[in-house]
Amino acid sequence: MTAVTVRVPAKVNLQLAVGPAREDGYHDLVNVFHAVSLFDEVTVTPGEPGSGRGPVSLSIDGEIGSRAADVPLDASNLAAKAARLLARETGAGGPVRIHLRKAIPVAGGMAGGSADAAATLVACDTLWGTGVPREELLRLAAELGSDVPFPLVGGTAVGTGRGERLAPVPCRGRFHWVFALAEAGLSTASVFAEYDRLRPDAPRPRLDDDLVAALAAGDARALGAALSNDLERAAFSLRPRLRDVLTTGRQAGALGAIVSGSGPTCAFLAADETAAAEVAAALDGSGRCARTVRAHGDVPGTTVVG
Ligand code: C5P
């Protein structure tokens, strides 16, 4: 085998309920992940032995423009860590080149780095023929980061613990989304730290029954009303202008508007494709975001496409 390409979706959090900080610094979460049709593609090819570039080399291109410079292409990249972890666990592998074709915004709260790591696990497992069982891939993914297991399964799922323990959530029909992207990213760790400062008394997180019912019924209006994100106030505190972005989308008819994960991407649920186009046009015309992208959910997780 000479090359393997894996397609992997972005996520939006439909509910992100955050408990108090734990002893290990992480937070217990109830995190409802929803995979949307905004995809990165990860291609792995065998590297040349003795090239002096180490066991893993990385390159990048795609729709993220100048933000590509924000993606580290050294050993600290989560995709490089994924390849090394799989090689260590299986004893297989060899030098490998990883190419990231990115459409998921960088440091945008849509788990793009986690998606690339999940795709790299699947791509290297296929390239090396290691046949790692799914449960084991999910365990390795959780070791890499709290958001890495979800892109392996896709669809809609609730994550508990630090977000890595997944159970599927039934989702009917197709939901239409608009995402407003920001010029500069936000660090997940700094948003959680701001959350701790604002909410030292956070209650235990609980799954929202109304949200689950809306998803099962395919009811966009009810889903829009049920969207929630406990990190939103912390994201507003670090980036006050995000409030205006949400207001713009709501005034243009969005059924729900929310900061995606730790932000700064804002997510808007629309009734249908026409309504989504109107929300996107209002946001693009407002000058309050860098640009918009439209997508639908849910969609499947990592898929080998070549
Ligand atoms: O797990 P991951 O490395 O993706 O998490 C990134 C950062 O987000 C952590 O260093 C931590 O600050 C924060 N985090 C958290 N609680 C979680 C998940 C992430 O505090 N459940």
Side-chain angles (χ1 to χ4, degrees), residues 6-20:
V6 172
R7 195 173 85 148
V8 61
K11 61 85 181 161
V12 58
N13 305 84
L14 305 179
Q15 181 190 3
L16 182 45
V18 182

Side-chain angles (χ1 to χ4, degrees), residues 141-219:
E143 211 173 294
L144 290 163
S146 314
D147 285 354
V148 183
F150 174 69
L152 294 174
V153 300
T156 303
V158 58
T160 51
R162 61 187 166 85
E164 86 289 10
R165 287 205 304 266
L166 296 173
V169 173
C171 172
R172 234 179 88 191
R174 171 178 280 213
F175 294 105
H176 299 274
W177 295 94
V178 178
F179 298 100
L181 314 190
E183 208 62 71
L186 271 177
S187 127
T188 303
S190 59
V191 175
F192 272 103
E194 182 67 1
Y195 178 81
D196 290 338
R197 197 179 70 77
L198 295 170
R199 290 297 308 273
D201 56 340
R204 257 176 81 83
R206 284 198 46 228
L207 181 62
D208 179 354
D209 296 335
D210 291 344
L211 180 90
V212 173
L215 285 164
D219 183 339

Side-chain angles (χ1 to χ4, degrees), residues 98-119:
I98 304 171
H99 184 71
L100 309 175
R101 187 164 186 80
K102 290 205 64 73
I104 306 175
V106 177
M110 297 189 77
S114 299
D116 298 343

